[in-house]
């Protein structure tokens, strides 16, 4: 068993460095604007530069795996270098992989991203529970043992997901809840053994959606053990840090505000200042 849980480390990190989560999303247009090629070498240079800019300014980074995956084995090799650099810089790393399956397949996904010492080791990963939260049981067990975390997609910031995520569960113990609320309910239960502080299992609740529209109770996310909320949608997608208290209510202290293009668009020479400004703005909104 790990000496500390992901929730414990996350709590310490947020207390020391704030709750801004900087995305490492090497879009082709960003690579071009940074003067980098859309190649594995460009991805590596981009990722390492973001890690260097984030280190000492924030505590959490979130590489979007898909942009590295586009370049096959060379892209994954570049990602391995970025992940290693982030860990060595003392940053918590959330691999935005959105993996989901069942049985040995989802167990293998967990082993890929959560195994200590593995080439793709991260502190946490995003997962998709379309087959049900219970389908993630092997990955959940691995995360507990290794001191890692999971963020389960619940109410995401893309509008095309709303029809599925607001659909009602028609059978089982959570019948009548929306799909999103049912997922949130199950994730909260995973944290029930953590009596106080931050749990190790979180949910993705986009900052461009309203929890009440999905039947989600924000009070339940707040405690007694807080459920971490990974909140995309700040900056380019229109949400502002000042909206956090209204959007997340009692659960606002457990929100990790994710931003990517809003700071990455500042370019290689401006990203340090952009991250500092975003972190300061977020801190003022939380004061």
């Amino acid at each position: 068993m790990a000496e500390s849980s992901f929730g414990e480390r996350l709590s310490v990190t947020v207390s020391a460095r704030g709750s801004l989560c900087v995305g490492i999303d090497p879009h082709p247009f960003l690579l071009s604007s940074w003067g980098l090629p859309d190649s594995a070498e460009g991805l590596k240079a981009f990722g390492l530069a973001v890690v260097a800019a984030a280190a000492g300014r924030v505590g959490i980074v979130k590489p979007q795996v898909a942009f590295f995956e586009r370049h096959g084995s060379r892209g994954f090799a570049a990602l391995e270098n970025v992940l290693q650099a982030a860990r060595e810089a003392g940053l918590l790393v959330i691999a935005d992989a959105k993996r989901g399956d069942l049985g040995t397949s989802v167990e293998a996904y967990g082993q890929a991203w959560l195994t200590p010492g593995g080439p793709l080791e991260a502190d946490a990963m995003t997962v998709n529970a379309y087959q049900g939260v219970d389908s993630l049981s092997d990955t959940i067990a691995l995360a507990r043992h290794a001191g890692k975390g999971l963020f389960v997609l619940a109410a995401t910031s893309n509008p095309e997901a709303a029809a599925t995520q607001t659909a009602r569960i028609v059978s089982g113990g959570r019948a009548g809840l929306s799909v999103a609320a049912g997922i949130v309910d199950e994730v909260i239960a995973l944290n029930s053994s953590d009596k106080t502080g931050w749990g190790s299992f979180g949910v993705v609740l986009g900052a461009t959606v309203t929890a009440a529209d999905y039947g989600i109770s924000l009070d339940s996310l707040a405690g007694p053990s807080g459920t971490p909320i990974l909140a995309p949608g700040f900056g380019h997608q229109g949400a502002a840090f000042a909206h956090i208290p209204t959007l997340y209510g009692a659960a606002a202290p457990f929100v990790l505000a994710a931003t990517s293009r809003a700071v990455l668009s500042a370019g290689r020479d401006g990203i340090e200042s952009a991250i500092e400004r975003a972190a300061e703005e977020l801190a003022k909104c939380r004061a």
Side-chain angles (χ1 to χ4, degrees):
M1 291 288 291
E3 292 183 1
S4 61
S5 70
F6 172 70
E8 290 169 337
R9 298 198 310 281
L10 182 59
S11 176
V12 170
T13 296
V14 169
S15 294
R17 294 291 183 190
S19 55
L20 187 68
C21 174
V22 175
I24 305 178
D25 299 9
H27 294 267
F29 78 89
L30 285 174
L31 291 169
S32 177
S33 70
W34 281 45
L36 295 170
D38 187 2
S39 65
E41 291 74 20
L43 296 175
K44 178 180 175 181
F46 183 95
L48 292 178
V50 177
V51 166
R57 295 179 174 86
V58 296
I60 310 163
V61 292
K62 182 174 68 67
Q64 171 47 260
V65 171
F67 291 109
F68 295 86
E69 196 170 303
R70 292 185 308 124
H71 289 277
S73 61
R74 290 193 176 101
F76 273 109
L79 179 56
E80 289 175 16
N81 280 276
V82 173
L83 294 173
Q84 181 179 353
R87 291 197 304 273
E88 290 175 351
L91 294 162
L92 282 184
V93 181
I94 302 171
D96 198 354
K98 297 184 177 71
R99 301 301 196 234
D101 211 315
L102 43 82
T104 54
S105 297
V106 75
E107 181 181 15
Y109 284 134
Q111 290 168 345
W113 297 101
L114 303 179
T115 298
L120 292 171
E121 180 187 0
D123 295 285
M125 65 183 291
T126 57
V127 291
N128 188 330
Y130 186 80
Q131 293 94 333
V133 174
D134 284 347
S135 70
L136 304 170
S137 59
D138 288 329
T139 298
I140 291 167
L142 172 61
R144 287 193 193 279
H145 181 78
K148 303 295 188 179
L150 298 176
F151 288 90
V152 187
L153 274 63
T156 56
S157 54
N158 58 312
E160 60 269 26
T164 299
Q165 293 169 354
T166 58
R168 296 291 167 178
I169 300 170
V170 298
S171 62
R174 293 178 171 82
L177 294 178
S178 70
V179 170
I183 288 172
V184 168
D185 193 38
E186 290 191 70
V187 174
I188 290 171
L190 293 175
N191 291 323
S192 60
S193 60
D194 300 314
K195 302 303 181 185
T196 58
W198 292 61
S200 293
F201 301 97
V203 293
V204 177
L205 295 182
T208 57
V209 302
T210 301
D213 293 342
Y214 291 73
I216 294 169
S217 167
L218 294 170
D219 288 346
S220 64
L221 283 162
S225 178
T227 297
I229 299 170
L230 181 60
F234 292 98
H236 179 79
Q237 290 177 275
F241 297 141
H243 299 159
I244 290 176
T246 302
L247 285 171
Y248 297 99
F254 300 97
V255 169
L256 308 179
T259 185
S260 55
R261 278 175 280 183
V263 294
L264 301 177
S265 295
R268 194 192 301 227
D269 295 332
I271 187 169
E272 291 183 1
S273 296
I275 290 175
E276 286 180 355
R277 286 194 301 270
E280 290 170 0
E281 180 186 350
L282 179 58
K284 288 178 182 177
C285 293
R286 291 191 173 283

